[in-house]
Amino acid sequence: MTKKKLVKADSSAQADGTESSSLSPSRRQRSVELKTKAIKDSALAVFSMYGFHGSSLEQIAELAGVSKANLLYYFSSKDDLYLYVLRDILAVWMAPFEALSADQDAVSSIKEYIKQKLEVSRDYPQASRLFCLEMIQGAPLLKSLLEGKLRKQVREKAKVIKAWSDAGQIAPIDPFHLIFTLWATTQHYADFHVQIEAITGKTLDNDRFLKSTVENIQSLIINGLRPRSE
Amino acid sequence: MTKKKLVKADSSAQADGTESSSLSPSRRQRSVELKTKAIKDSALAVFSMYGFHGSSLEQIAELAGVSKANLLYYFSSKDDLYLYVLRDILAVWMAPFEALSADQDAVSSIKEYIKQKLEVSRDYPQASRLFCLEMIQGAPLLKSLLEGKLRKQVREKAKVIKAWSDAGQIAPIDPFHLIFTLWATTQHYADFHVQIEAITGKTLDNDRFLKSTVENIQSLIINGLRPRSE
DNA sequence: GTCTATATCTCGATAGAC
DNA sequence: GTCTATCGAGATATAGAC
């Protein structure tokens, strides 16, 4: 039940506190940006593994290569830091959704969406897992977003899917269940990466495994959606 | 960032500590069972929401209707309690796997598996979420299980699937990706229930929604697997 | 801006009365 | 078996020197 220590990042943040005051304004600003980013990156790594309550500022600060007091100079509280991290990942998470477009035909839209989402699972697995943690906890911070912006966006995409099936491009299906299936299958490779690796010995970082994942899911779903004359 | 209080269960545990000593041996044993179960149920509810580190014994005890000290009389430590809970849910989680059997034909096996797994997602959503939490955190306690028993079981089922496609019952597919897809799509409705509800307004507790979920996923995957002459 | 020191709080676990 | 009281560890956040 002990926490595994994350490997400390080789941060570029300077250890000497006085040095920054000798920097020019632009260089100082740059330094602040770098440090802020290092802290947010470390925070994402820790929060996405242990959740909000399970993470300590000490742990995050150590990973970022700064002192705990210094971290609290840049982010006024743990809550504050968490909210910044959560905000950053949302954009990443929702981006591939744009691939589902009425301007494109069904098959290539859906294939493209699966590919993009799996690439997100490969490139930002921590973001996917933190999002999943939030959902499991009942999304206390994201509930308003879910019920507002996301809900609206999903209903729009549902219309696009409905139009595709009405036009005979794909078989009739409840658009919501299709969207949930697309979400579930693609996120699974990030959220359950330990399980995937334990069983297959591979991860999405392996190019051939990514390729085979994309192709298998694409063909399963595209064939599943093929219009069939009864 | 405050924790929402779970509604306290109307526990049947007695408030009067002296009463139990007047019970007959069998009744006393029964009382211990009831209390142990109440504590484990509450622990599952809390652990599955906030994770191990995010949960407090105080919270669990309150939900179970016992004092914190009393809880620690029945379970020697927080770790101890957590392990008991985790052990209990594993059997539930792995049970539907048996539906994938070489004795049955592919289509009805897979349809049955999807149905059973979605019913588990409906009946034991907390178990599913706790399992998901463990995976996200790198499965510190389950890693040996994943790499041993589960891995072996999955490889067996993969052979069954391979046999089905070799026999032409289903189209060729990587059995592992099919298994992952089955897991992902069915668990999603438990793990992301907040999101599902925010978007559709429904949960698996709604019979019609469950039915439509089962049917949509079944037909998507079964059609996706239909052998096609090229 | 960065550090050390510390105030304050929460939590797991124990001690001891009943 | 159950309770109250409390200890000690660890966490967030602040104070104040430099």
Side-chain angles (χ1 to χ4, degrees), chain A residues 22-57:
Chain A
S22 67
L23 297 174
S24 66
S26 64
R27 273 187 62 93
R28 184 180 307 163
Q29 194 178 343
R30 176 85 185 125
S31 161
V32 168
E33 273 171 30
L34 278 177
K35 208 159 199 173
T36 304
K37 183 163 180 355
I39 292 171
K40 284 203 288 189
D41 286 350
S42 302
L44 174 59
V46 177
F47 282 143
S48 69
M49 197 146 182
Y50 304 109
F52 180 80
H53 297 289
S55 306
S56 76
L57 292 181

Side-chain angles (χ1 to χ4, degrees), chain B residues 12-223:
Chain B
S12 59
Q14 58 222 10
D16 180 0
T18 61
E19 193 184 335
S20 59
S21 42
S22 68
L23 296 175
S24 67
S26 65
R27 275 186 62 90
R28 184 180 308 161
Q29 194 178 343
R30 176 89 184 122
S31 160
V32 168
E33 272 171 30
L34 278 176
K35 209 158 197 174
T36 304
K37 181 162 181 356
I39 293 170
K40 283 203 286 190
D41 286 350
S42 302
L44 174 58
V46 177
F47 282 142
S48 70
M49 198 151 182
Y50 304 111
F52 179 81
H53 297 289
S55 306
S56 75
L57 292 181
E58 181 76 53
Q59 217 180 343
I60 295 168
E62 194 191 348
L63 187 66
V66 302
S67 72
K68 188 173 62 169
N70 194 215
L71 184 157
L72 284 165
Y73 172 78
Y74 287 96
F75 295 89
S76 64
S77 70
K78 190 182 182 184
D79 282 29
D80 189 41
L81 175 58
Y82 188 75
L83 286 173
Y84 269 101
V85 171
L86 205 56
R87 237 166 177 273
D88 281 357
I89 68 169
L90 275 180
V92 169
W93 194 86
M94 291 183 68
F97 220 46
E98 290 310 315
L100 298 181
S101 159
D103 304 335
Q104 297 263 312
D105 73 292
V107 169
S108 49
S109 279
I110 293 170
K111 284 177 87 167
E112 182 61 22
Y113 178 81
I114 291 169
K115 180 161 172 286
Q116 281 187 29
K117 198 81 201 305
L118 280 168
E119 283 168 357
V120 168
S121 281
R122 176 195 60 190
D123 298 332
Y124 308 94
Q126 296 170 333
S128 178
R129 291 195 282 272
L130 185 57
F131 188 80
C132 185
L133 279 178
E134 272 295 305
M135 289 301 121
I136 288 181
Q137 290 176 22
L141 299 173
L142 298 178
K143 205 151 202 175
S144 60
L145 178 100
L146 295 183
E147 290 166 350
K149 193 175 164 192
L150 182 66
R151 183 187 162 101
K152 201 178 151 217
Q153 211 169 345
V154 168
R155 298 187 103 81
E156 262 174 38
K157 297 304 179 190
K159 273 186 204 161
V160 173
I161 293 169
K162 179 78 164 44
W164 282 333
S165 64
D166 284 349
Q169 283 194 50
I170 57 174
I173 188 173
D174 181 320
F176 292 112
H177 290 301
L178 175 58
I179 290 172
F180 296 151
T181 295
L182 291 172
W183 281 349
T185 48
T186 52
Q187 285 212 196
H188 188 78
Y189 287 82
D191 302 342
F192 286 72
H193 74 293
V194 183
Q195 197 178 48
I196 308 271
E197 191 169 7
I199 288 168
T200 66
K202 288 163 201 146
T203 71
L204 293 185
D205 290 322
N206 177 324
D207 278 346
R208 281 176 48 210
F209 186 71
L210 173 69
K211 191 158 175 283
S212 113
T213 305
V214 172
E215 286 169 359
N216 271 275
I217 295 181
Q218 280 179 343
S219 78
L220 182 65
I221 290 182
I222 295 300
N223 283 313

Side-chain angles (χ1 to χ4, degrees), chain A:
Chain A
M1 210 71 59
T2 54
K3 283 187 201 171
K4 209 187 297 172
K5 262 198 187 169
L6 297 171
V7 181
K8 179 174 169 179
D10 187 16
S11 167
S12 59
Q14 58 221 11
D16 180 0
T18 60
E19 193 184 337
S20 60
S21 42
S22 67
L23 297 174
S24 66
S26 64
R27 273 187 62 93
R28 184 180 307 163
Q29 194 178 343
R30 176 85 185 125
S31 161
V32 168
E33 273 171 30
L34 278 177
K35 208 159 199 173
T36 304
K37 183 163 180 355
I39 292 171
K40 284 203 288 189
D41 286 350
S42 302
L44 174 59
V46 177
F47 282 143
S48 69
M49 197 146 182
Y50 304 109
F52 180 80
H53 297 289
S55 306
S56 76
L57 292 181
E58 181 74 51
Q59 217 181 345
I60 295 168
E62 193 191 348
L63 188 64
V66 302
S67 73
K68 189 173 58 170
N70 194 217
L71 184 157
L72 284 163
Y73 172 78
Y74 286 96
F75 295 89
S76 63
S77 71
K78 190 183 181 182
D79 282 28
D80 189 42
L81 175 57
Y82 188 76
L83 286 172
Y84 270 101
V85 170
L86 205 57
R87 244 170 171 266
D88 281 359
I89 69 169
L90 274 179
V92 169
W93 194 86
M94 291 182 67
F97 220 46
E98 290 310 313
L100 298 180
S101 160
D103 303 336
Q104 297 262 312
D105 73 293
V107 170
S108 49
S109 279
I110 293 170
K111 284 177 86 167
E112 181 62 22
Y113 178 82
I114 291 169
K115 180 161 172 286
Q116 280 187 29
K117 199 81 200 307
L118 280 168
E119 283 167 358
V120 168
S121 281
R122 177 195 58 189
D123 298 333
Y124 308 94
Q126 296 169 332
S128 179
R129 291 195 282 270
L130 184 57
F131 189 80
C132 185
L133 280 177
E134 272 295 304
M135 290 301 121
I136 287 181
Q137 289 176 25
L141 300 172
L142 297 178
K143 204 152 202 173
S144 61
L145 178 99
L146 295 183
E147 288 165 352
K149 193 175 163 193
L150 182 65
R151 183 187 162 99
K152 204 179 147 214
Q153 212 169 344
V154 168
R155 298 187 104 81
E156 263 174 39
K157 297 305 179 188
K159 273 187 206 162
V160 173
I161 293 169
K162 179 78 165 43
W164 282 334
S165 63
D166 284 348
Q169 284 194 50
I170 57 174
I173 188 172
D174 181 319
F176 292 112
H177 289 302
L178 175 58
I179 290 171
F180 296 150
T181 295
L182 290 172
W183 281 348
T185 48
T186 52
Q187 286 212 195
H188 187 77
Y189 288 82
D191 302 343
F192 286 71
H193 74 291
V194 182
Q195 198 178 48
I196 308 269
E197 193 170 4
I199 288 168
T200 66
K202 289 164 200 147
T203 72
L204 292 185
D205 290 322
N206 177 325
D207 278 345
R208 282 177 46 210
F209 185 72
L210 172 68
K211 192 160 175 282
S212 114
T213 305
V214 171
E215 286 169 0
N216 271 275
I217 296 181
Q218 279 179 342
S219 77
L220 182 65
I221 291 183
I222 294 302
N223 284 315
L225 290 171
R226 238 189 342 195
R228 43 198 187 279
S229 42
E230 25 216 300

